[in-house]
Amino acid sequence: QVQLVESGGGLVQAGDSLRLSCAASGLPFNNYDMAWFRQTPGKEREFVAAISWRGGSTSYTDSVKGRFTISRENAKNTVYLQMNSLKPEDTAVYYCAARPAMAGIEWRHWGQGTQVTVSS
């Protein structure tokens, strides 16, 4: 059974930093692309960042470029999202997602999410 468990969310002030973690189990992590999405009430889930199975390729939504960094540690089956210079508009539930590498664009597995709240 595949499990993605996010952690590291919390309440911070604008300008602060947080690091989210997502621990994966039940899948061959080294063969999976990983991503972070976020969602606020009443809005669709939004792509934030992704990293390829080997970690050699990353992508970001424009609003977080230069502030967020996605990384992975395959030995620990974990993907991270380092979030710096946080803004109130970054407030959301952040979800980890996984998909088999080179097998299409659908993100097949999702975590339960972790809340990030940024106060002004």
Side-chain angles (χ1 to χ4, degrees):
Q1 180 180 356
V2 175
Q3 280 195 313
L4 302 177
V5 180
E6 302 96 335
S7 61
L11 172 63
V12 297
Q13 293 186 331
D16 286 350
S17 298
L18 274 177
R19 188 176 82 156
L20 305 183
S21 300
C22 172
S25 60
L27 53 76
F29 186 76
N30 291 10
N31 295 334
Y32 272 66
D33 298 331
M34 301 296 296
W36 290 94
F37 288 74
R38 65 188 179 186
Q39 189 171 25
T40 54
K43 293 188 177 180
E44 291 189 359
R45 195 169 294 187
E46 171 193 30
F47 169 79
V48 176
I51 187 166
S52 61
W53 60 296
R54 286 185 176 179
S57 177
T58 58
S59 60
Y60 300 89
T61 191
D62 285 346
S63 63
V64 308
K65 285 180 181 177
R67 299 189 299 121
F68 291 11
T69 303
I70 189 170
S71 62
R72 64 190 297 159
E73 195 168 356
N74 285 355
K76 293 186 177 181
N77 285 7
T78 301
V79 62
Y80 305 98
L81 186 68
Q82 177 67 43
M83 305 186 294
N84 299 330
S85 302
L86 282 161
K87 303 176 181 180
E89 51 264 44
D90 295 318
T91 295
V93 177
Y94 283 72
Y95 297 90
C96 176
R99 69 182 181 195
M102 298 176 284
I105 63 172
E106 179 188 1
W107 294 95
R108 295 188 187 178
H109 306 291
W110 295 85
Q112 293 300 306
T114 185
Q115 177 71 47
V116 172
T117 303
V118 184
S119 63
S120 58

